[in-house]
Amino acid sequence: MSYIRPHTLGRLQAINLTIMEKNNSIHQILREITPLSDKDCFYVVDRHKKEFTYPIHYHGEYELNFIEHGAGLRRIVGDSAETTGDYDLTLIATADLEHVWEQGECTSDDIREITVQFASTFFDSLIATNQFDRVKVMLDKARNGLNFPMEAIMKVYSLLDTLSETKGFYAVTQFFTLLYELSFFTDRARVLSSSSFAKVHPQTNSRRVLKVQQYINEHYQDTIHLDQLADLVGMAPTAFSRFFRQRTGKKLSDYIIDIRLGHAARLLVDTTMSVAEICYECGFNNLSNFNRIFKRKKGCSPTEFRETYFKRKNII
């Protein structure tokens, strides 16, 4: 479906919704048509609201979303679902990654939301320069969705607070400054969606780790043993296990499970396959074990995850 937010630009009205068919399933996820024009570097909207009613959606543009006084909101980015604190700042730097902020348990009567949307082409001529190296690293990591810590929010609050009021050239330099300041918190920001759900390829400076990650992405449906992965990169199993964890921050077994769960979550969204079919399709050999791991990692059952994406909502 395609949709224009009626509150984004008053003169725009909701266009006809078109049901999309993909993998023989009917989807209720909206593709948002953003107000960003070809002549704009970015688009920013600063609004106060009492509730979030916009449904889960995706769009081709990158997005930086800031929430103030929103404790209890439910943030969904890809296959990540979390309850937010009073402040929330998230960067999504990939096209078509599903996301939404839902009312959840938030009771605030004055929620502030600042949304900045910008196209990837905005940085095409700049991203390879030395001056933008830090920003590039941040945008690469934000392909999965990146949630910033409170100290980052405090650092850039004044820039966010006045961005919608700043015009012309100065607005662009202020936006650049905002992204640059955030880039100093890249290592402390949390990655949200799994790569397999977001359909982004892993990036690493280690050729050995990359080779193993590529192998896992291609063979996640099969039984994968530590010995075969270690042999793939010419290392002893124990040494490789330690090496992989140092380079990725995850145990090998956890990494494999996360890849499988990401693919499972994607199938829950993109197909009408049953939970049991998805379980075995993604390399799990026991349905009850799959359900238990999914709930522990995602905070909900596979069925509840699917319902979250496709529950009906009234669009006004």
Side-chain angles (χ1 to χ4, degrees):
M1 298 182 181
S2 298
Y3 192 68
I4 296 177
R5 299 191 199 199
H7 60 264
T8 302
L9 287 180
R11 62 187 179 83
L12 293 177
Q13 307 224 342
I15 66 172
N16 292 331
L17 301 183
T18 303
I19 294 180
M20 299 186 305
E21 292 190 8
K22 183 178 180 183
N23 297 333
N24 299 319
S25 66
I26 296 178
H27 286 248
Q28 302 298 323
I29 299 178
L30 300 177
R31 178 177 180 85
E32 181 186 352
I33 300 176
T34 69
L36 188 67
S37 74
D38 293 338
K39 294 184 178 181
D40 290 322
C41 295
F42 63 91
Y43 173 79
V44 58
V45 58
D46 187 342
R47 47 170 107 69
H48 290 260
K49 57 210 300 187
K50 292 184 178 181
E51 61 178 340
F52 282 71
T53 58
Y54 197 69
I56 194 164
H57 62 283
Y58 63 97
H59 44 71
E61 292 74 26
Y62 294 175
E63 180 173 298
L64 180 67
N65 204 64
F66 170 68
I67 303 292
E68 185 176 17
H69 307 315
L73 290 173
R74 180 175 169 84
R75 175 190 1 91
I76 298 174
V77 177
D79 56 350
S80 165
E82 299 177 340
T83 299
T84 71
D86 206 32
Y87 294 84
D88 190 72
L89 181 60
T90 298
L91 175 62
I92 301 172
T94 190
D96 300 340
L97 180 60
E98 299 91 337
H99 58 279
V100 71
W101 276 255
E102 296 181 332
Q103 193 64 24
E105 299 177 357
C106 181
T107 58
S108 172
D109 59 0
D110 184 19
I111 308 168
R112 186 186 187 188
E113 181 183 34
I114 301 175
T115 302
V116 187
Q117 295 172 331
F118 56 103
S120 61
T121 52
F122 180 38
F123 290 98
D124 279 354
S125 60
L126 298 171
I127 207 66
T129 63
N130 292 331
Q131 289 75 14
F132 276 78
D133 184 59
R134 299 187 64 92
V135 175
K136 179 182 184 303
V137 172
M138 178 180 68
L139 291 175
D140 285 343
K141 194 171 181 180
R143 294 180 304 159
N144 300 63
L146 201 57
N147 187 252
F148 291 93
M150 190 62 200
E151 54 264 40
I153 294 175
M154 294 174 65
K155 179 69 176 180
V156 302
Y157 182 85
S158 61
L159 295 169
L160 280 166
D161 186 46
T162 58
L163 185 59
S164 64
E165 303 168 0
T166 311
K167 306 300 179 185
F169 176 80
Y170 294 108
V172 177
T173 57
Q174 184 166 325
F175 181 52
F176 278 159
T177 303
L178 169 61
L179 292 179
Y180 183 69
E181 293 293 345
L182 282 178
S183 71
F184 285 91
F185 296 89
T186 300
D187 291 339
R188 281 172 278 175
R190 291 186 304 103
V191 173
L192 298 176
S193 179
S194 66
S195 295
S196 46
F197 185 93
K199 299 180 181 179
V200 299
H201 299 294
Q203 293 184 343
T204 175
N205 294 326
S206 170
R207 287 179 294 178
R208 286 177 171 176
V209 170
L210 183 60
K211 188 174 184 179
V212 168
Q213 288 176 327
Q214 290 173 339
Y215 181 90
I216 294 172
N217 287 337
E218 294 170 2
H219 298 87
Y220 66 91
Q221 297 167 307
D222 307 324
T223 301
I224 301 175
H225 297 289
L226 171 61
D227 290 355
Q228 67 186 115
L229 295 179
D231 185 62
L232 189 66
V233 293
M235 297 180 69
T238 302
F240 169 71
S241 180
R242 184 170 56 252
F243 172 78
F244 186 87
R245 185 169 187 174
Q246 289 173 342
R247 292 304 181 98
T248 65
K250 288 185 178 181
K251 294 193 298 184
L252 180 62
S253 57
D254 287 340
Y255 181 85
I256 295 173
I257 286 174
D258 287 346
I259 291 295
R260 287 172 172 163
L261 287 178
H263 283 289
R266 177 51 68 185
L267 289 177
L268 286 167
V269 172
D270 286 350
T271 77
T272 56
M273 293 171 64
S274 69
V275 172
E277 289 174 322
I278 292 173
C279 163
Y280 297 110
E281 176 71 17
C282 293
F284 295 94
N285 54 18
N286 183 285
L287 181 57
S288 61
N289 187 48
F290 168 65
N291 283 322
R292 184 171 60 255
I293 293 175
F294 194 100
K295 188 164 187 175
R296 174 167 57 85
K297 291 276 191 176
K298 305 296 183 186
C300 62
S301 71
T303 300
E304 290 168 338
F305 180 87
R306 174 174 267 167
E307 289 173 350
T308 295
Y309 267 77
F310 299 120
K311 62 186 177 184
R312 294 186 179 275
K313 294 194 175 186
N314 293 325
I315 303 171
I316 300 175

